[in-house]
Amino acid sequence: MASLQSDKINLLDFDRQGLRDYFRSLDEKPFRADQIIKWLYQHGVADFDEMTNIAVKLREKLKQTCEIYLPEVEHGNLSADGTSKWIFRLRGANSIETVFIPEKNRGTLCVSSQVGCALDCSFCSTARQGFNRNLSAGEIIGQVWLASHLLKQNPATAHHRITNVVMMGMGEPLLNFNNLVKALNLMLDDMAYGLSKRRVTVSTSGVLPAMDKLKETVDVSLAVSLHAPNDALRSELVPLNEKYPISELMDACWRWVGAGDRKRHIMFEYVMLDGVNDKPEHARQMVDLLKDLPCKVNLIPFNPFPKAGYLRSSDESIERFWRILTKNRILATRRQTRGDDIDAACGQLAGQVNDRSKRVLKFMKPRFGETL
Ligand code: SAH
């Protein structure tokens, strides 16, 4: 449980149940754990000495063996459209990216689950850096902690609130299952962030056994990165398809939406690549595939990055694709591209800070006349 390069236990690595168990093992009352969870997440306090309803003796005892470790802010940037992007430096010289997207009635935080990614999707810039390591639970929830803290600190963003979390940053969340679940528990916990289950979304390329396990473990929303309606094309774009082909993926999707105490649906992500997966025949195959499944398709205009090898579909192709789905009663939306002036758009999270000096300004340095 100790954080990398630290002998101390990071309190952010526990969900509430885990912290209660830990306190029991220290012969402390479990409700003390609840109080600490509230300090950490409701009050945004990361210093034992500010936890005034915790006895000084207990605070001193905790300081001996525990720490409250958060990643460091390496860069921050604010887009003209209000999107914020941060690069957080982790122990072990790794960095990750986290993006906040304000919309009219909500604010969505896009959170990373791994440093890099092993899945090698051909259109995703994170794939180009390969896989480095899983994030700890504390490093996942720490992104929510830091983002809400940093938004509040900056007068230009102080009115922004995180109402939604999407696990759509760097990495495949379902390949970091246990740490993901602890962080999700904290997002949902009324004593921590208290987000509704409809507002916390795990996005997966389709790690099927983990999809089933997630359903049994924690009640959140699911997005599936589909990107192609047939195996030949999907295997090209999402190599994981060779292990878990579309028919098995669809079975798992039906299991996900199936019998439960609430009606679930799935959001399918579909990145629109010019001339690759955006033809009418692909739209028609999508209709066959998704027929009757409670779902929504999110058409995502491809966001380019250096040497990507793909182009964004034209507005006309996206419109045509959307029309075929809609006519056939498949709910579909086109995702607005946000934050692309600061490389904060979907699929542009690269995690490297070298060579970024031109594109990402130093934290605190204003762009577009705004302070961050
Ligand atoms: N591994 C998980 C979580 C990462 S989020 C998953 O695959 O779902 C990945 C999402 O980012 C993909 O669904 C895709 O919608 C989006 N994405 C990746 N690269 C992109 C790019 N270059 N342009 C637009 N969207 C991209």
Side-chain angles (χ1 to χ4, degrees), residues 123-124 167-169 171-173 203-205 225 227 269 271 300-303 305 346-347:
F123 53 85
C124 178
M167 296 302 306
M168 291 184 190
E172 168 52 50
S203 179
T204 180
S205 300
S225 290
H227 306 310
E269 294 161 279
V271 63
I300 307 163
F302 171 67
N303 292 310
F305 54 90
C346 263

Side-chain angles (χ1 to χ4, degrees), residues 174 177 206-215 243-244 252 255:
L174 293 187
F177 194 87
V207 184
L208 302 193
M211 245 170 81
D212 286 321
K213 200 166 143 201
L214 185 70
K215 187 180 171 192
K243 186 159 185 191
Y244 303 119
R255 288 197 295 277

Side-chain angles (χ1 to χ4, degrees), residues 295-307:
C295 68
K296 181 164 140 187
V297 178
N298 200 343
L299 302 175
I300 307 163
F302 171 67
N303 292 310
F305 54 90
K307 301 202 184 107

